[in-house]
Amino acid sequence: MILKVSRDGFRGGYSVTDENRWEACVPGHFELSDYFPILLMLVFSAGFAVTQVLMSQFVGQQKRTRTKLMPYECGKDPVGSARERFSVKFYLIAMIFILFDIEVIFLIPWAVVFRSFSIAGAGSLVYVERMLFIVFLLVGYVYVVRKGAFDWGDRARIEAEAEGRALEDARQHSLTETRRAA
């Protein structure tokens, strides 16, 4: 914000006698010290991030297992071929997430304009409409939970681990075959 001060030094009852104050009000005046709080915030946030990473390295458990060293991507263990078909559940979860995410985003503009509707006298109507919207969201969520869309169970994890062991055994077998042939 640019403050306009007349040359005689008065604005809104405040006397501007210091020449530095006058220069600060001139458009295009740049003062590096004005950006010190931003620099301080960046230094503290970077320091916090580095500290957390280092602390997790020093304090955390270092037990390395085959399961922990496997890459992990989006809830699917990377075993088998890259051309493997995904379960429909992955796509279902993605669609449900997008649906509920978009629905919740509509709460923000509603909250912004609610006061103006209340002043205009339509506040109770808008409130009832929003509560109906939330009830429909909850009904949809209960339906999805009852259908078992969020039920992954231990069976999928056990199958993935068994497939991983089978692939590891097959790789070991092919290595021994290669060594024998050489």
Side-chain angles (χ1 to χ4, degrees):
M1 180 173 114
I2 298 172
L3 228 141
K4 295 190 179 182
V5 179
S6 64
R7 229 357 171 163
D8 60 354
F10 288 99
R11 180 188 181 276
Y14 296 104
S15 170
V16 180
T17 57
D18 188 10
E19 189 64 31
N20 292 336
R21 284 174 138 188
W22 170 255
E23 287 176 5
C25 298
V26 175
H29 179 75
F30 177 76
E31 188 88 25
L32 189 60
S33 64
D34 292 340
Y35 292 96
F36 181 71
I38 295 172
L39 176 67
L40 194 63
M41 181 191 69
L42 289 174
V43 167
F44 275 125
S45 59
F48 179 76
V50 168
T51 303
Q52 294 301 312
V53 169
L54 291 176
M55 289 300 290
S56 70
Q57 291 297 317
F58 293 130
V59 178
Q61 291 184 356
Q62 300 294 325
K63 200 186 292 185
R64 297 182 181 270
T65 63
R66 186 171 73 190
T67 307
K68 281 186 179 180
L69 294 176
M70 281 177 50
Y72 181 79
E73 183 74 31
C74 297
K76 178 79 171 131
D77 289 324
V79 291
S81 169
R83 306 287 179 222
E84 180 180 324
R85 289 186 176 195
F86 284 97
S87 171
V88 173
K89 277 193 165 202
F90 289 105
Y91 302 108
L92 183 65
I93 294 294
M95 288 189 309
I96 290 169
F97 171 75
I98 290 171
L99 175 74
F100 281 104
D101 190 39
I102 291 171
E103 301 292 338
V104 169
I105 286 174
F106 282 126
L107 291 174
I108 295 169
W110 173 81
V112 169
V113 299
F114 180 71
R115 172 169 262 154
S116 62
F117 277 115
S118 295
I119 292 171
S124 58
L125 177 67
V126 173
Y127 183 75
V128 168
E129 179 270 332
R130 180 51 53 184
M131 289 302 113
L132 235 128
F133 181 76
I134 291 173
V135 165
F136 286 144
L137 276 180
L138 287 175
V139 167
Y141 180 73
V142 168
Y143 174 78
V144 166
V145 168
R146 292 252 172 121
K147 280 293 193 178
F150 300 129
D151 251 351
W152 288 95
D154 293 329
R155 194 175 124 231
R157 172 72 62 186
I158 291 168
E159 287 174 0
E161 287 174 353
E163 191 175 341
R165 280 192 296 275
L167 284 172
E168 183 67 27
D169 293 341
R171 189 174 68 84
Q172 290 294 333
H173 180 66
S174 67
L175 284 175
T176 52
E177 289 295 321
T178 307
R179 288 182 189 149
R180 284 185 192 164

